[in-house]
Amino acid sequence: MTLAVVHSRALDGLNAPEVTVEVHLANGLPCFTLVGLADTEVKEARERVRAALSNSGLEFPHNKRITVNLAPADLPKESGRFDLPMAVGILAALGHVDMRQLEHMEFAGELSLGGELRPVRGALAMALAVRRGRLQAARDGTAGMPAGLDAQPRAAPRTLVLPADSARQAARVDGVTLLEAQNLAQVVEALRPPRDGESPPEPLRVARPEGVVEEALSVAFGDLRDVKGQAAAKRALETAAAGGHSLLMVGPPGTGKSMLARRLASVLPALTQDEALEAAAVQSLAGTFRAEAWQHRPWRAPHHSASSVALVGGGSPPRPGEISLAHRGLLFLDELPEFPRSALEALREPLETGHITISRAARRHDFPARFQLVAAMNPCPCGHLGNPLKACRCTPEQVSRYQARLSGPLLDRIDVQVEVPAVAPDVLAGAPDGEPSAVVAARVAHAQALQWARQGCLNAELDGSGLDRHAALEPAAQQFLKAASARLGWSGRGFHRVLRLARTIADLAGTEAVTAAQVAEAIQYRRALPGA
């Protein structure tokens, strides 16, 4: 055989489309040609594959004309994930690998010059793509059908062969057979053709998920009881956690805004299996997945010098940004007005839709971005506007210019806006007060359970029709909300956000109908920034 076909997968956003690696050996002037819209990293595989085969004691056809085609040709290919399928394809064309086994396998892995396999990005995305193919085949009922029937036959799902570290990450996806390998020689030994009189080749080991080191969230993010005073801010934090609402804390420096933000993670329930897979798949694309953080909500806190591309994603090829890496978790933006205006305005659509689409001339990439925004800021440049313990030095014009860095449409999309005032020295010197995170987390979990049972989502994700069905107001509450909306000049979005907040406060109280007192509390969380 001079032609071998090996199956692999590329990365296209969070998708992992199938790629066919065709290797052809021919007589002629010795060369190694790579075609199929390969990026520079992929083209460099020629030297890695040549050295890995030689240093692993395997044959490399130095006197042959080698042509490798990565199909489909219009799909961009990047990274070193195609090193392993290229090497296997060359050996299969030479007859050192059983071609029949390759029909039921997919390969991905970067090779070192010594033949060791290195991890690749997007292992979870590849495993999820294989599982989707398996489920689709099961739904169609055409896997393995004989030719000649009306239905189009669909190939049976394949086994995925990955480097050991990548395979252990991807093994968290149920319904996919994953094999792990440490080096190229191990893969070739498992795939060699059977020979008479020899023992059968040793198969590759089935991958198992990495062990998770359990760490209490109170250790990782601190306990809510550590924040002294700030009863109103703690109540707002609990409300935001219970309904999945975005939160903005405004106050002088050193009042506990960052402490409160970190402790929000300690009162949120753990991710479900499906949510954890979604979050981990995005992190796997960026190479930031950690086994010890499995089912813990992602926590991202970029510096205020981050650009819009860093926040929403981009680059060539496009990579997920901070909002996608915080998918199903928390995005904390400290010193919110210090972020570039363009970066903040880029958050407006993802806050509404829960995903981000990065469009380029040739392709578009979709990344999930269902994150909970937590932001903190000072009320003025010096930070002491409204501080009873220290006078503000800013002029009204400076205050207005500073607060104008946040546009009205962006503020309109932040559900909870709460003041975090300065704490008196006698309170700071006292013992910790308030409830611990575990007690608050129990109430948050109960409120979220009510929401999932009632409407299948958190209150922050309710649309207009969902609010009409599930956010029933008492007559007095309805009149009060209409009067407040007319007087304060809310937009339709602002009106609905207050309604969602009131629904969450009612869920924390365990009441089915929303009362006027709960609407009044929700209105308090929509206060504008303090003026000079």
Side-chain angles (χ1 to χ4, degrees), residues 235-248 264 268 329-331 351 371-375 413-417 444 447-448 451 454-455 458-462 467 496-508 522 525-526:
R235 171 65 177 175
L237 193 79
E238 180 180 346
T239 303
H245 303 286
S246 51
L247 171 66
L248 171 63
L264 178 58
L268 290 171
L330 300 168
L331 176 67
L351 279 171
F371 63 96
Q372 187 170 355
L373 175 64
V374 187
R413 286 170 167 83
I414 300 179
D415 297 343
V416 182
Q417 302 171 25
V444 169
Q448 289 197 0
Q451 296 165 41
R454 181 179 63 235
Q455 65 220 17
L458 296 182
N459 289 334
E461 301 173 20
L462 274 176
L467 284 171
H496 283 158
R497 290 190 180 275
V498 170
L499 198 54
R500 293 187 187 101
L501 278 174
R503 176 69 268 176
T504 300
I505 295 169
D507 289 334
L508 284 170
Y525 295 144
R526 295 289 296 177

Side-chain angles (χ1 to χ4, degrees), residues 217-447:
L217 287 177
S218 60
V219 175
F221 295 101
D223 196 282
L224 193 59
R225 198 161 179 259
D226 297 335
V227 183
K228 299 180 181 180
Q230 307 297 4
K234 290 179 182 178
R235 171 65 177 175
L237 193 79
E238 180 180 346
T239 303
H245 303 286
S246 51
L247 171 66
L248 171 63
M249 293 176 285
V250 184
T255 55
K257 300 186 294 296
S258 298
M259 289 181 65
L260 285 165
R262 288 192 62 84
R263 279 147 185 79
L264 178 58
S266 68
V267 301
L268 290 171
L271 294 172
T272 65
Q273 184 74 10
D274 289 341
E275 289 174 339
L277 276 176
E278 290 178 21
V282 179
Q283 294 163 20
S284 177
L285 290 179
T288 60
F289 174 77
R290 296 183 299 114
E292 60 269 21
W294 177 251
Q295 289 194 307
H296 287 188
R297 295 191 179 271
W299 167 268
R300 305 294 298 186
H303 190 260
H304 62 255
S305 61
S307 65
S308 58
V309 172
L311 285 183
V312 303
S316 182
R319 300 285 181 90
E322 293 290 340
I323 62 172
S324 295
L325 295 175
H327 180 59
R328 298 296 180 186
L330 300 168
L331 176 67
F332 177 47
L333 302 182
D334 200 4
E335 305 295 344
L336 187 65
E338 304 298 336
F339 279 81
R341 179 69 176 261
S342 59
L344 294 180
E345 295 305 303
L347 298 178
R348 285 157 56 174
E349 292 86 351
L351 279 171
E352 289 284 324
T353 63
H355 73 272
I356 180 70
T357 300
I358 301 173
S359 298
R360 295 292 181 264
R363 307 188 67 84
R364 53 176 288 172
H365 300 262
D366 293 311
F367 295 107
R370 184 67 66 184
F371 63 96
Q372 187 170 355
L373 175 64
V374 187
M377 63 173 288
N378 297 326
C380 64
C382 77
H384 296 287
L385 179 65
N387 185 357
L389 305 180
K390 191 171 183 179
C392 174
R393 305 188 306 269
C394 304
T395 65
E397 183 182 357
Q398 289 175 321
V399 174
S400 177
R401 189 163 55 245
Y402 182 79
Q403 295 183 0
R405 296 180 184 179
L406 305 180
S407 68
L410 177 63
L411 288 173
D412 204 31
R413 286 170 167 83
I414 300 179
D415 297 343
V416 182
Q417 302 171 25
V418 63
E419 184 179 359
V420 184
V423 181
D426 57 335
V427 176
L428 293 174
D433 58 358
E435 296 174 313
S437 291
V439 175
V440 178
R443 290 200 297 269
V444 169
H446 178 69

Side-chain angles (χ1 to χ4, degrees), residues 163-236:
D165 290 343
S166 300
R168 290 166 193 162
Q169 286 183 17
R172 300 186 183 279
V173 180
D174 296 329
V176 179
T177 304
L178 284 141
L179 303 179
E180 64 177 63
Q182 299 287 347
N183 51 60
L184 177 60
Q186 189 178 2
V187 176
V188 175
E189 171 61 22
L191 298 176
R192 66 175 173 82
R195 300 185 183 94
D196 295 336
E198 291 188 3
S199 59
E202 183 178 353
L204 294 173
R205 188 169 63 177
V206 176
R208 295 287 181 262
E210 296 174 302
V212 178
V213 179
E214 293 293 340
E215 182 181 17
L217 287 177
S218 60
V219 175
F221 295 101
D223 196 282
L224 193 59
R225 198 161 179 259
D226 297 335
V227 183
K228 299 180 181 180
Q230 307 297 4
K234 290 179 182 178
R235 171 65 177 175

